[in-house]
Amino acid sequence: MSPISRRDFLAVGAAAGAGLVIGFYLPHGSASTFAPNAFLRITPDGKITIVVARSEMGQGVHTSLPMILAEELEADWKHITIEQAGANPTLYGDQQTGSSASLRISWDPLRKAGAAAREMLISAAALEWRVPRSGCAAENSFVVHAASNRRLSYGRLAAKAAALPIPVAPPLKDAKDFKLVGKPVPRLDGPSKVDGTAIFGIDLRLPGMKYAVLARCPVIGGTVTRFDDQESKKISGVGFVGKTGDSAVAVVADSVWGAMEGRRVLNVTWDEGTNKDLNSAAMYDLLKKSASNKAATLYSRGDVSKVAGKRIQAAYQTPLMAQAPMEPGNCTAHFRGSNCEIWGPLQWPPDVRDAVAKAVGLDLDQVKINVTLLGGGFGRRLDHDYAVEAALVSKAANVPIKVIWTREDDMRFSSYRPASYHVMSGVLDGRGWPLAFSHRIVEPSINGQKGFPGPSPDIDADLPDESSLIYSLPNALVEYVMTVTPVTPGFMRSVYGMETAFASESFIDELATVAGKDPLELRLHLLAKDEEIKFFDTTWKTARMRGVLQMAAEKAGWEKPLPTGRYHGIACFGCFGTYMAEVVEISMENDQPRVHRVVGAIDCGQVVNPNILDQQIQGAVIFALTNALRAQITIEKGRVVQGNFDDYPPIRMNEAPVVEAYFVPSAEAPTGAGEPPVPPLAPALCNAIYAATKKRIRALPILS
């Protein structure tokens, strides 16, 4: 890499923290290749390659992120190809694909990357023609000189542009001039997924590769005492059996079936440890007892303890949940002694690199990470256990190894969205309007148990993004009681947002019921005043929440009579910088809810690709509906009971509702989109069930 001055480094420091090191020239194969930054290469033949530093797991970043750069570059979209980045936090930042951060973190760096390249190409053309730069403009992968009607392609200009200085603060386009951003551009990864040429982690093949499955202790936290592989090695193709750390035994074979059969007959003696009698009831009891422990304050306004009026109290509960992506855990590794290479469906490549290097005793620069497509992630692939397993088995067996988890492995040996308990309290004045609202969240700290620090030792790092209260209340208190349970906690789509919204937005409806007010009316009353609410590093605006609430209600026909036997519920929530409201319309069939229609309105700033955003909302609604209706991991005798989609069932096609997605027009920078549609669904559904039955649901899943 060419050096840059301290002054230039400081000028781009903020962008670098988000993944852009625009002041660096990157190494490339030819001096004629134009590679002004980490995200872009233009070759003399006119090929434009945009490097995507986030993982594609169905959410559309292989299209939406290149659109941002191509917009500022004034590139011909037909010439765009993409390349998936490996692990390189020096160039791309943390590269974590989660927290609905891909667009909101990449927006500014990618715009600047495209704009810098555009300006350099324009300068190169002006030098070539020996004309004033002001008379040249970029247009559809060409630079044109209107006065002489000349034009040069980006490919022709690549070598000359590569020799020019990189602008630190290139001018950015006005939103009104966007040609790609905001348009329903077809997904770049669509054709390969349709014709089967797309490579997911489970598809990858290497010469000489063997397959491994692992026997793990069925009891949470258990370890291997000893094992006998005599019967396993009688299975055709089984060539290696050995421990992987203290908690598992790997069986390696020429085929997945051979490895599975070898595991089936493997004789392992387990030390079941201290969790052999653990059950779900004990965990819920622990959460309830912990509710009286000292709490950390997340948000406080006024003094809820001194408010007089009609007091209403309730408690809500959510269960352990599994991410359950369709592609089960897998990873391929080749340990070669002095280096190790990894191929897999990874949500956090640098974290995988670091963990693998430590596990196999290599330096970071001796581990190469290759990211494949992900068959769903939902937070599960932020963990790196399956990659570390593959590296360790490859080192022990001395061959390239693909570790594959069966569906039952994926369900029973995962990390899980923690169970939670919520203590709610509200006070109404004489007219039925809320004077006070308090919410105590009792739940394990996912980040804390993984060793990631929060804003303080007693606050989980994700809570500032996922526990906001965006109502103009005179007295309000949101608290958190950090707990510890033996079950490994894991990140799951919307993280703490789903359970926080379930409790708070269901309880808002309870207050409306006691007050004799329409649920929409009460919410709009609490949002009537234009106010900015500071919650940790985010400043929420009541006007924007009011906007999505009104849009969802209007599009759903909230004020209009419903057909006989139909009922609806409403909820809104803000997380990851985004405002979301949903209306759920149901009927009751055999005492169970049938969801017919979900209307969602989102304010996530500038919409980059409306087709992809619509898909995100539809997918999030289906995901959240499955979780609300049926999702529950239970523990008996230290073991996870559920093992497959027969006892952890998703909703079926014939159960899926019509989903309508509406977007608030905005020129604000994009915020999160993949996770914010999840939290409002459960409370809106439960509020609709109350409208139909007058029975309040305070524990999920609904169909337990």
Side-chain angles (χ1 to χ4, degrees):
M1 292 184 183
S2 300
I4 65 171
S5 71
R6 174 177 171 80
R7 180 172 178 270
D8 287 344
F9 180 81
L10 292 174
V12 299
L20 172 63
V21 189
I22 200 167
F24 283 82
Y25 278 100
L26 302 181
H28 49 70
S30 169
S32 61
T33 297
F34 178 45
N37 53 67
F39 300 104
L40 176 65
R41 293 195 307 272
I42 302 176
T43 51
D45 60 2
K47 180 181 178 182
I48 300 172
T49 300
I50 296 177
V51 179
V52 180
R54 306 285 165 169
S55 303
E56 176 61 75
M57 51 186 172
Q59 82 280 34
V61 292
H62 275 188
T63 302
S64 56
L65 296 186
M67 285 175 65
I68 298 169
L69 192 151
E71 177 67 69
E72 292 289 348
L73 181 61
E74 287 287 352
D76 183 345
W77 186 249
K78 296 191 297 294
H79 294 168
I80 299 294
T81 60
I82 58 172
E83 179 180 300
Q84 175 67 54
N88 195 330
T90 302
L91 294 180
Y92 304 113
D94 68 8
Q95 291 183 258
Q96 180 191 118
T97 305
S99 300
S100 293
S102 294
L103 277 178
R104 59 191 169 105
I105 287 180
S106 303
W107 174 250
D108 283 338
L110 288 177
R111 291 188 73 191
K112 291 174 183 176
R118 180 196 69 223
E119 295 302 295
M120 295 168 73
L121 289 160
I122 292 173
S123 294
L127 290 171
E128 179 76 15
W129 291 323
R130 299 185 180 184
V131 299
R133 191 182 182 285
S134 59
C136 302
E139 181 183 290
N140 208 33
S141 290
F142 284 84
V143 177
V144 299
H145 184 240
S148 63
N149 200 29
R150 285 180 288 181
R151 53 198 286 124
L152 283 172
S153 70
Y154 285 179
R156 285 278 306 278
L157 292 167
K160 187 176 287 287
L164 297 178
I166 301 171
V168 171
L172 302 178
K173 295 170 70 171
D174 192 286
K176 65 180 175 56
D177 299 321
F178 287 162
K179 299 171 185 175
L180 278 173
V181 169
K183 305 299 188 294
V185 176
R187 292 175 63 133
L188 292 175
D189 57 347
S192 66
K193 290 178 177 177
V194 171
D195 65 22
T197 57
I199 300 298
F200 293 81
I202 207 164
D203 299 321
L204 191 90
R205 301 288 186 274
L206 294 178
M209 185 180 76
K210 305 294 184 181
Y211 298 87
V213 296
L214 275 69
R216 302 171 179 85
C217 183
V219 174
I220 295 166
T223 57
V224 179
T225 299
R226 59 182 178 273
F227 69 92
D228 179 353
D229 61 7
Q230 183 176 351
E231 294 302 314
S232 298
K233 289 193 171 178
K234 293 179 181 178
I235 301 296
S236 176
V238 172
F240 175 86
V241 181
K243 282 179 63 177
T244 303
D246 294 328
S247 59
V249 180
V251 179
V252 176
D254 296 337
S255 67
V256 177
W257 182 252
M260 290 172 64
E261 283 294 286
R263 181 177 68 172
R264 184 179 63 81
V265 297
L266 180 67
N267 185 3
V268 185
T269 301
W270 303 104
D271 178 356
E272 296 184 346
T274 59
N275 297 323
K276 60 184 178 181
D277 296 320
L278 181 69
N279 58 53
S280 296
M283 286 198 303
Y284 289 129
D285 286 343
L286 173 62
L287 292 174
K288 292 175 184 178
K289 291 175 182 176
S290 299
S292 58
N293 292 350
K294 183 180 178 181
T297 299
L298 304 179
Y299 175 75
S300 180
R301 184 174 185 176
D303 189 340
V304 296
S305 67
K306 295 181 179 179
V307 179
K310 185 177 182 60
R311 184 171 295 275
I312 300 94
Q313 294 178 305
Y316 286 79
Q317 178 177 296
T318 65
L320 289 168
M321 296 183 188
Q323 300 91 344
M326 287 302 295
E327 180 188 19
N330 69 88
C331 194
T332 301
H334 191 182
F335 180 84
R336 304 184 183 95
S338 61
N339 63 80
C340 184
E341 193 163 2
I342 298 290
W343 297 259
L346 315 170
Q347 281 187 249
W348 199 351
D351 195 51
V352 171
R353 181 202 62 178
D354 296 355
V356 166
K358 181 178 180 180
V360 298
L362 294 174
D363 294 333
L364 296 183
D365 60 3
Q366 294 175 301
V367 177
K368 181 180 180 181
I369 302 296
N370 303 282
V371 181
T372 66
L373 293 172
L374 286 66
F378 313 121
R380 174 63 181 96
R381 303 187 201 279
L382 287 169
D383 288 324
H384 46 59
D385 47 354
Y386 52 99
V388 169
E389 289 175 349
L392 288 172
V393 177
S394 178
K395 182 179 181 179
N398 199 31
V399 292
I401 289 290
K402 172 178 282 186
V403 163
I404 290 186
W405 294 41
T406 65
R407 174 59 58 196
E408 288 76 13
D409 293 338
D410 213 46
M411 195 71 74
R412 291 185 174 137
F413 303 103
S414 185
S415 56
Y416 305 94
R417 185 200 294 273
S420 69
Y421 186 72
H422 304 259
V423 180
M424 315 298 301
S425 180
V427 178
L428 302 177
D429 66 16
R431 297 177 299 163
W433 299 120
L435 286 172
F437 181 97
S438 62
H439 181 177
R440 175 168 285 208
I441 303 164
V442 186
E443 188 167 0
S445 170
I446 303 168
N447 287 285
Q449 290 189 227
K450 292 180 181 296
F452 303 137
S456 70
D458 49 0
I459 296 178
D460 186 279
D462 278 306
L463 280 165
D465 264 346
E466 298 138 25
S467 60
S468 55
L469 180 66
I470 313 175
Y471 287 118
S472 183
L473 287 148
N475 302 278
L477 180 64
V478 181
E479 300 174 296
Y480 171 61
V481 178
M482 185 182 291
T483 60
V484 177
T485 64
V487 179
T488 304
F491 303 105
M492 184 169 158
R493 192 175 188 175
S494 82
V495 198
Y496 294 103
M498 188 282 289
E499 50 265 48
T500 300
F502 167 62
S504 64
E505 283 296 291
S506 294
F507 189 63
I508 286 287
D509 257 52
E510 290 206 48
L511 297 180
T513 298
V514 173
K517 298 186 183 297
D518 177 84
L520 174 62
E521 176 193 16
L522 186 134
R523 287 176 171 83
L524 291 176
H525 173 82
L526 297 177
L527 295 167
K529 178 183 176 183
D530 287 353
E531 186 178 341
E532 293 187 349
I533 297 176
K534 181 74 172 175
F535 193 85
F536 289 88
D537 294 331
T538 303
T539 299
W540 296 97
K541 297 182 179 180
T542 56
R544 293 181 72 177
M545 183 61 85
R546 184 173 69 242
V548 295
L549 193 62
Q550 290 172 325
M551 177 180 281
E554 177 189 349
K555 297 297 186 181
W558 183 268
E559 304 292 346
K560 298 177 182 178
L562 288 168
T564 302
R566 296 286 183 95
Y567 304 88
H568 55 200
I570 194 167
C572 59
F573 194 69
C575 56
F576 306 102
T578 291
Y579 306 79
M580 187 79 202
E582 292 172 18
V583 175
V584 174
E585 183 178 322
I586 70 164
S587 63
M588 297 299 294
E589 300 177 3
N590 299 319
D591 294 325
Q592 295 189 356
R594 172 65 185 246
V595 181
H596 298 278
R597 182 186 182 210
V598 177
V599 177
I602 192 169
D603 181 348
C604 57
Q606 172 70 57
V607 176
V608 173
N609 188 315
N611 277 359
I612 291 176
L613 180 55
D614 185 79
Q615 293 163 9
Q616 285 272 49
I617 293 174
Q618 294 209 28
V621 166
I622 298 301
F623 180 85
L625 184 56
T626 288
N627 289 341
L629 288 174
R630 302 192 182 108
Q632 178 173 223
I633 291 292
T634 54
I635 309 295
E636 290 182 8
K637 295 183 178 180
R639 295 160 166 81
V640 173
V641 173
Q642 290 72 24
N644 210 316
F645 290 128
D646 57 341
D647 50 11
Y648 198 88
I651 63 169
R652 307 297 182 183
M653 290 180 68
N654 66 328
E655 300 172 293
V658 172
V659 180
E660 300 174 25
Y662 299 95
F663 321 140
V664 174
S666 176
E668 301 260 0
T671 50
E675 293 168 281
V678 172
L681 190 282
L685 172 57
C686 291
N687 294 338
I689 293 171
Y690 179 82
T693 65
K694 303 309 176 189
K695 295 179 181 178
R696 187 67 65 182
I697 294 174
R698 297 193 181 96
L700 295 178
I702 295 166
L703 305 179
S704 58

